[in-house]
Amino acid sequence: MKNLQQRVKTIAIATLLISLAGCAGMSRQGQGTLLGAGVGGIGGAALTNGSALGTLGGAAVGGLIGNVVTQPAPRPRYRRR
């Protein structure tokens, strides 16, 4: 049983590292959206005792918030004279 738990931990860590490496080419807004979805999913699962609907709802709300918070600032427009 202990061997199985160690394998699961190793696979989880490897998956996390691979997914973080995949974020290297993403925009700042994409990274914020993904981070928000992850945190929201964990929060939703914690608040609803692991309910699938709560996890998905938390991920959706967290992704939306992460997307909005990391939107690039609008550039000021200058007129030609």
Side-chain angles (χ1 to χ4, degrees):
M1 186 69 168
K2 197 168 190 169
N3 190 19
L4 178 63
Q5 289 176 345
Q6 188 175 11
R7 278 188 181 177
V8 170
K9 286 181 184 178
T10 303
I11 291 171
I13 291 171
T15 304
L16 177 66
L17 291 175
I18 290 170
S19 65
L20 288 176
C23 292
M26 292 177 72
S27 67
R28 183 173 180 271
Q29 188 174 12
Q31 290 175 351
T33 302
L34 189 61
L35 179 65
V39 171
I42 291 171
L47 290 175
T48 61
N49 294 326
S51 165
L53 186 60
T55 303
L56 291 175
V61 171
L64 180 65
I65 292 172
N67 186 301
V68 170
V69 168
T70 56
Q71 281 184 350
R75 290 184 178 181
R77 293 187 170 208
Y78 298 103
R79 286 193 235 162
R80 287 186 177 178
R81 289 187 175 194

